[in-house]
C-alpha cells in the first residue's frame, strides 16, 4: 500500500500553518491528487493509515466519536491540524530543567515545537500542583488548563503523539485526568428504577419512541429501559455500567443493511468492553426481517456471510439473501401497530 509523504500532505492541507479542521474527504482529495497511482478502491484505506500515522507523529488529532464510511473503511470524520506541528520543525531537546516525573525520559528527547510546548506545560503544571496533588478531572478540562485546547487529548495517542505518550512517559494518571464515557440517551420503561434489568438499544429516534410506547403498555416488559445511539457513534454505550440500575444485558436492534449490521456488532463490542453482556435483540430482528424491504446496494456474498455471523442463527440465511440481492429493511419498518400485535418477550 502507498505511503503518503506527510510533510507534503500537511503543506497542502495547511499552507499557512494556521491549523484547523479538515474533513476526511478533503484529506482523500489531496492524497488522491498527490498520489495518482493509488486506485480509487484503495484510497479510503490509505487515508485511514495516513490519519493514524499523522496522529502518531503529533501532526493532528482525529475525531473519536464521529466517523464516516467510505467503501468498507470507517474513517474519522475530520482531523484537527495543530498548525505549529510541522514536519519541517527542527527537533531539539526541551532545554529547561524538568521535574523528576519527566526528567528521566524527556530531558534529552528530540522534540518538535508542539511537543516541547506540551512538555513545558506539563512540567509547569507538575511544579504548580506539587506533582499533581489535585482532584481528577476530565481530559478535556485538563487539556484546556494546560494548552487552552480542550480537544488536544481526544485522539489516541493525544497531542504530542507516541513520542510523548509511549509507555512509561506521559499518562492520564500522571496528569490526574480521565476519559469520561459520552452520555447515553435512555429512558426507563417503568416508573420504578433500581432493579436489575436488560436494556434494548436502537439507533433511530422514531423506533426509540415506538418501543417505549409499546413496552410501557406491556404487563411484564422484557426490557427495563430503551437506549438510543446515533449511527457509528456507539461510544455512549460505555456509560451502560453507570445507569441507576444494574444492567444485566444489552439487546441491540439496527437497520437491516450492511452498515447497520456493522454498527450493531460494534455497539455490542462497546457494551462488552464496559462489562455488559451484549447481542442481537432476537425477537426484534425476527420481526424486522419479515417486513417489506426496499432497494439497497448489493453486498458481496463473502461480506454478507461475515456480517450475518453476529445475528441469531434463525435469521442469518434470510438476512444474507437480502444483502446479496440488494435489499434492506430499516428499523422504521417496525411501526407501533407491528410491534403491538406480537409478544416481544
Amino acid at each position: 500500500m502507498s505511503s503518503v509523504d506527510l510533510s507534503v500532505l500537511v503543506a497542502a492541507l495547511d499552507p499557512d500553518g494556521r491549523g484547523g479542521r479538515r474533513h476526511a474527504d478533503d484529506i482523500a482529495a489531496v492524497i488522491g491528487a498527490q498520489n495518482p497511482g493509488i486506485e480509487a478502491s484503495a484510497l479510503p484505506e490509505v487515508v485511514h493509515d495516513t490519519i493514524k500515522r499523522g496522529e502518531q507523529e503529533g501532526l493532528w488529532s482525529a475525531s473519536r466519536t464521529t466517523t464516516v464510511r467510505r467503501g468498507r473503511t470507517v474513517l474519522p470524520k475530520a482531523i484537527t491540524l495543530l498548525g505549529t506541528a510541522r514536519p519541517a520543525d527542527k527537533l531539539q531537546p526541551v532545554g529547561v530543567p524538568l521535574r523528576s516525573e519527566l526528567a528521566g525520559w524527556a530531558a534529552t528527547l528530540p522534540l518538535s515545537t508542539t511537543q516541547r510546548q506540551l512538555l513545558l506545560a506539563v512540567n509547569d503544571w507538575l511544579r504548580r500542583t506539587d506533582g499533581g496533588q489535585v482532584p481528577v478531572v476530565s481530559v478535556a478540562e485538563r487539556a484546556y488548563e494546560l494548552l487552552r485546547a480542550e480537544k488536544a487529548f481526544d485522539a489516541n495517542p493525544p497531542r504530542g503523539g507516541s513520542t510523548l505518550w509511549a509507555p512509561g512517559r506521559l499518562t492520564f494518571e500522571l496528569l490526574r485526568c480521565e476519559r469520561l464515557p459520552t452520555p447515553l440517551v435512555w429512558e426507563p420503561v417503568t416508573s420504578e428504577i433500581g432493579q436489575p434489568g436488560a436494556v434494548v438499544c436502537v439507533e433511530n429516534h422514531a423506533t426509540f419512541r415506538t418501543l417505549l410506547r409499546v413496552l410501557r403498555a406491556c404487563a411484564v416488559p422484557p426490557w427495563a429501559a430503551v437506549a438510543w445511539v446515533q449511527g457509528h457513534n456507539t461510544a455512549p454505550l460505555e456509560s451502560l455500567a453507570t445507569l441507576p440500575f444494574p444492567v444485566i444485558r444489552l439487546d441491540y436492534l439496527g437497520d437491516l443493511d450492511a452498515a447497520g449490521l456493522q454498527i450493531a456488532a460494534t455497539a455490542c463490542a462497546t457494551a462488552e468492553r464496559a462489562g455488559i453482556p451484549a447481542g442481537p435483540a432476537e425477537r426484534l430482528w425476527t420481526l424486522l426481517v419479515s417486513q417489506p424491504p426496499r432497494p439497497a446496494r448489493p453486498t458481496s456474498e463473502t461480506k454478507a456471510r461475515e456480517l450475518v455471523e453476529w445475528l441469531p442463527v434463525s435469521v442469518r440465511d434470510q438476512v444474507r439473501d437480502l444483502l446479496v440481492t440488494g435489499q434492506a429493511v430499516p428499523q422504521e419498518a417496525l411501526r407501533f401497530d407491528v410491534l403491538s400485535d406480537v409478544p416481544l418477550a
Side-chain angles (χ1 to χ4, degrees):
M1 184 173 291
S2 300
S3 180
V4 173
D5 187 321
L6 294 180
S7 62
V8 175
L9 176 61
V10 171
L13 291 171
D14 189 23
D16 297 324
R18 296 179 180 179
R21 288 173 63 82
R22 303 291 187 277
H23 194 279
D25 290 341
D26 296 329
I27 301 167
V30 173
I31 291 175
Q34 293 179 343
N35 303 270
I38 299 176
E39 295 183 1
S41 61
L43 185 57
E45 193 64 26
V46 174
V47 174
H48 177 276
D49 292 346
T50 301
I51 290 175
K52 183 177 180 179
R53 283 199 299 124
E55 277 197 312
Q56 291 172 343
E57 296 190 21
L59 303 180
W60 53 64
S61 61
S63 54
R64 296 182 62 245
T65 58
T66 55
T67 59
V68 293
R69 178 178 287 275
R70 298 296 179 261
R72 296 182 179 181
T73 305
V74 177
L75 300 170
K77 185 176 181 180
I79 64 169
T80 300
L81 288 152
L82 306 182
T84 56
R86 303 299 297 272
D89 276 352
K90 181 180 179 181
L91 300 182
Q92 57 187 4
V94 67
V96 301
L98 296 175
R99 289 266 313 187
S100 60
E101 296 91 343
L102 308 175
W105 58 268
T108 61
L109 201 64
L111 302 172
S112 68
T113 299
T114 295
Q115 291 166 339
R116 291 196 300 274
Q117 289 173 344
L118 173 57
L119 194 63
L120 288 171
V122 171
N123 192 56
D124 181 62
W125 179 83
L126 289 170
R127 177 185 56 78
R128 288 185 287 104
T129 61
D130 191 23
Q133 300 301 310
V134 293
V136 174
V137 299
S138 76
V139 294
E141 292 166 346
R142 187 69 75 218
Y144 188 79
E145 178 188 6
L146 292 175
L147 301 169
R148 296 298 183 265
E150 66 275 14
K151 300 185 183 301
F153 295 165
D154 282 1
N156 190 20
R159 181 178 297 185
S162 55
T163 298
L164 295 184
W165 295 88
R169 296 182 178 180
L170 291 186
T171 64
F172 289 156
E173 182 180 9
L174 174 66
L175 299 182
R176 299 287 291 164
C177 61
E178 60 183 351
R179 283 197 170 117
L180 301 176
T182 308
L184 177 67
V185 176
W186 70 281
E187 287 191 24
V189 171
T190 65
S191 58
E192 296 184 6
I193 302 175
Q195 296 300 313
V199 172
V200 61
C201 183
V202 297
E203 62 186 63
N204 295 321
H205 67 89
T207 309
F208 173 77
R209 290 297 176 195
T210 296
L211 268 174
L212 282 170
R213 182 182 173 193
V214 171
L215 292 171
R216 285 169 176 168
C218 291
V220 183
W223 294 289
V226 181
W228 174 61
V229 293
Q230 293 178 279
H232 289 285
N233 183 17
T234 62
L237 292 172
E238 296 174 4
S239 297
L240 281 169
T242 68
L243 296 190
F245 66 93
V247 178
I248 61 173
R249 188 182 72 253
L250 176 77
D251 294 330
Y252 194 92
L253 173 68
D255 289 327
L256 202 167
D257 57 22
L261 289 170
Q262 188 68 61
I263 293 169
T266 301
C268 289
T270 302
E272 289 179 343
R273 286 197 300 272
I276 307 298
E282 183 167 357
R283 182 58 178 148
L284 295 177
W285 283 101
T286 301
L287 285 172
L288 189 62
V289 75
S290 67
Q291 302 308 306
R294 59 167 168 75
R297 178 178 296 179
T299 304
S300 70
E301 179 76 27
T302 300
K303 185 63 176 179
R305 288 185 179 277
E306 175 187 322
L307 290 169
V308 302
E309 282 298 311
W310 175 82
L311 287 167
V313 174
S314 58
V315 300
R316 288 179 187 174
D317 289 344
Q318 290 173 272
V319 173
R320 187 186 68 246
D321 289 344
L322 286 170
L323 294 176
V324 171
T325 57
Q327 300 180 82
V329 187
Q331 294 177 8
E332 287 87 349
L334 297 183
R335 304 181 309 275
F336 174 77
D337 54 302
V338 173
L339 290 174
S340 59
D341 286 344
V342 297
L344 296 179

